[in-house]
């Protein structure tokens, strides 16, 4: 899902990457964004990334799997976002994003936090909603 709104006055482009994009329709994201754009015009691109069957392996903390081995592909997912997805969006839509953020729910929130924390030059903001911050390397 890609939603965008360009304000009449132009200005810098902003990017929001959302984990668990497959859930955005159930959350009414498109309607919420339309309402936001009407009341606060600005140039914003929102990309909702669908998680696949490897979600529990791709989300987590890069370099620190949990005690059950979850998150072993988190580093690959981080690199995908930084090295592939953002450059693709910039090239495909001929944009330069002045500000970039990552957000997510549950494990997607933990993933967002980890990506932004470890890549502050690439992302300026993070959104964590009911984040799975219980992540740990051992079982209690």
């Amino acid at each position: 899902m890609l939603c965008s709104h360009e304000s009449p006055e132009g200005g810098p482009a902003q990017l929001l990457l959302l984990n668990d994009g497959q859930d955005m329709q159930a959350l009414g994201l498109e309607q919420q964004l339309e309402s936001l754009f009407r009341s606060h015009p600005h140039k914003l691109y929102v990309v909702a990334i669908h998680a696949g069957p490897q979600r529990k392996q791709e989300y987590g903390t890069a370099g620190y799997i949990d005690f059950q081995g979850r998150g072993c592909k988190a580093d690959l997912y981080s690199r995908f976002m930084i090295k592939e997805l953002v450059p693709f969006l910039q090239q495909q839509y001929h944009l330069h994003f002045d500000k970039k953020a990552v957000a997510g729910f549950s494990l997607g929130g933990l993933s967002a936090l980890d990506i932004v924390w470890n890549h502050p030059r690439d992302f300026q903001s993070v959104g964590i909603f009911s984040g799975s911050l219980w992540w740990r390397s051992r079982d209690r």
Side-chain angles (χ1 to χ4, degrees), residues 3-17:
C3 296
S4 68
H5 175 73
E6 296 189 27
S7 64
E9 62 274 353
Q14 298 176 13
L15 175 65
L16 172 60
L17 300 175

Side-chain angles (χ1 to χ4, degrees), residues 41 55 91 95 118 121:
R55 178 184 183 274
Q91 182 180 12
L95 294 168
N118 287 305
R121 290 185 179 152

Side-chain angles (χ1 to χ4, degrees), residues 7 20 25-26 52 98 116 127:
S7 64
D20 286 317
Q25 187 173 12
D98 292 342
V116 174

Side-chain angles (χ1 to χ4, degrees), residues 82 98-102 112-126:
I82 295 164
D98 292 342
K99 294 183 180 178
K100 296 182 288 278
V102 184
L113 174 62
D114 184 65
I115 291 168
V116 174
W117 181 270
N118 287 305
H119 303 280
R121 290 185 179 152
D122 296 298
F123 299 100
Q124 294 73 43
S125 300
V126 63

